[in-house]
Amino acid sequence: MTSEAAIIRHSTPGRGAHALETSTDLPLSIDSVFEFFANAENLERITPPELAFRILTPTPIDIREGALIDYRLRLFGFPFGWRTRISSWEPPNCFVDEQLRGPYRTWIHTHTFAASGEGTLMTDRVEYSLPGWPITHLVLPLVRRQLDRIFRYRAQVIR
């Protein structure tokens, strides 16, 4: 796949809630792009290697609304488990995964795909909050830098 660089925006709606949004234009059909991102096994390919990301759920995974996926990864050198549930599944336009267990108090990741010119505009919106708010507000700049790194890496690998 090839793409233009991801555009990353951050916002803070308040009371410990944060959002990150990225958009990337891809010169491929919406069906092709959705198929790639809907395959959980591709997550390992598009995640920075320092996160040591591994899918624990046996593959292939039948991705659909209600599907549960377990991962293992490292963040700032600390290993932890992460479980997500696919809470919305609308091929080829959108799907949502929500963290049920992991490092965030809240993590809701909405993936949207829309026809754009001769390709597809892929948008990721992550709504998240950190545990221990308001104390963890102090580490928010570090978390934002890490999230930027992850989503920029994704865009680079896709290109």
Side-chain angles (χ1 to χ4, degrees):
M1 287 185 180
T2 61
S3 71
E4 294 181 20
I7 298 168
I8 300 175
R9 294 172 293 284
H10 292 274
S11 62
T12 302
R15 300 203 39 82
H18 307 283
L20 168 139
E21 190 169 297
T22 71
S23 298
T24 306
D25 278 306
L26 300 167
L28 298 166
S29 73
I30 192 170
D31 291 326
S32 297
V33 175
F34 187 88
E35 182 181 332
F36 179 85
F37 283 92
N39 181 344
E41 294 169 66
N42 286 328
L43 282 171
E44 291 182 18
R45 295 173 54 190
I46 63 172
T47 301
E50 68 269 15
L51 295 179
F53 183 90
R54 284 187 316 127
I55 295 173
L56 301 177
T57 302
T59 58
I61 300 169
D62 178 23
I63 300 292
R64 58 182 161 56
E65 191 167 318
L68 300 175
I69 307 169
D70 290 307
Y71 315 97
R72 187 112 189 113
L73 61 151
R74 289 183 178 276
L75 193 56
F76 306 115
F78 297 100
F80 60 90
W82 184 308
R83 172 174 271 189
T84 60
R85 177 186 63 225
I86 304 299
S87 59
S88 178
W89 184 251
E90 302 172 26
N93 302 305
C94 176
F95 69 94
V96 179
D97 62 82
E98 296 185 36
Q99 174 198 280
L100 299 179
R101 185 181 69 240
Y104 293 89
R105 188 176 77 212
T106 306
W107 176 277
I108 302 168
H109 185 175
T110 303
H111 310 254
T112 58
F113 308 91
S116 170
E118 295 183 27
T120 300
L121 177 65
M122 177 188 73
T123 302
D124 290 290
R125 179 170 175 81
V126 178
E127 298 171 44
Y128 65 96
S129 60
L130 301 172
W133 182 80
I135 300 300
T136 53
H137 182 73
L138 299 171
V139 298
L140 182 60
L142 181 63
V143 170
R144 282 187 170 173
R145 274 196 303 276
Q146 182 66 24
L147 291 174
D148 283 355
R149 162 85 176 112
I150 291 167
F151 281 92
R152 286 189 201 292
Y153 181 88
R154 277 177 59 152
Q156 178 185 355
V157 168
I158 292 164
R159 272 196 303 276

